[in-house]
Amino acid sequence: MRGPRPARLNNAKTGGLKITLGEMRSTGVRDLIVFCQDYRCGHNVKLSAAQVDKWPDEIRLSQTEPRFACKACGQRGAILRGGSEATMMAVSQ
């Protein structure tokens, strides 16, 4: 029996192509929040600017989402959001 299909670059779950890291950085946002793709899990982790700055500007958020795996439930695939102040406050509540 096969496992679940890998996430595709242009699928409904990820919302298609997302901005590049360079475009995100140009708005002043340098942190990322990685959410588990499984809404039932709800696990998330913040990647600091020091970690994210190692990646090149040309990488799209949608290109990296399928590469993450949740440490809490093992689900492959993630939803990436810029770690703006508003997003950080919403996640911490």
Side-chain angles (χ1 to χ4, degrees):
M1 180 180 212
R2 289 175 160 178
R5 293 180 131 183
R8 292 187 181 160
L9 189 59
N10 285 321
N11 69 19
K13 287 184 180 180
T14 62
L17 290 176
K18 295 185 178 177
I19 65 171
T20 64
L21 288 174
E23 292 167 337
M24 183 186 79
R25 290 175 183 136
S26 72
T27 67
V29 176
R30 293 180 50 221
D31 299 331
L32 279 176
I33 303 175
V34 182
F35 295 93
C36 178
Q37 190 166 328
D38 187 347
Y39 70 93
R40 295 168 293 188
C41 175
H43 184 244
N44 65 72
V45 64
K46 178 185 172 192
L47 298 180
S48 69
Q51 294 169 302
V52 177
D53 284 347
K54 295 176 184 177
W55 299 342
D57 286 342
E58 301 79 33
I59 292 180
R60 292 193 177 276
L61 297 182
S62 51
Q63 287 176 302
T64 61
E65 288 176 332
R67 298 176 183 210
F68 284 91
C70 181
K71 287 187 175 183
C73 72
Q75 172 74 30
R76 196 134 189 65
I79 299 168
L80 298 181
R81 297 287 182 255
S84 66
E85 198 62 37
T87 305
M88 296 304 294
M89 287 175 44
V91 169
S92 64
Q93 292 180 355

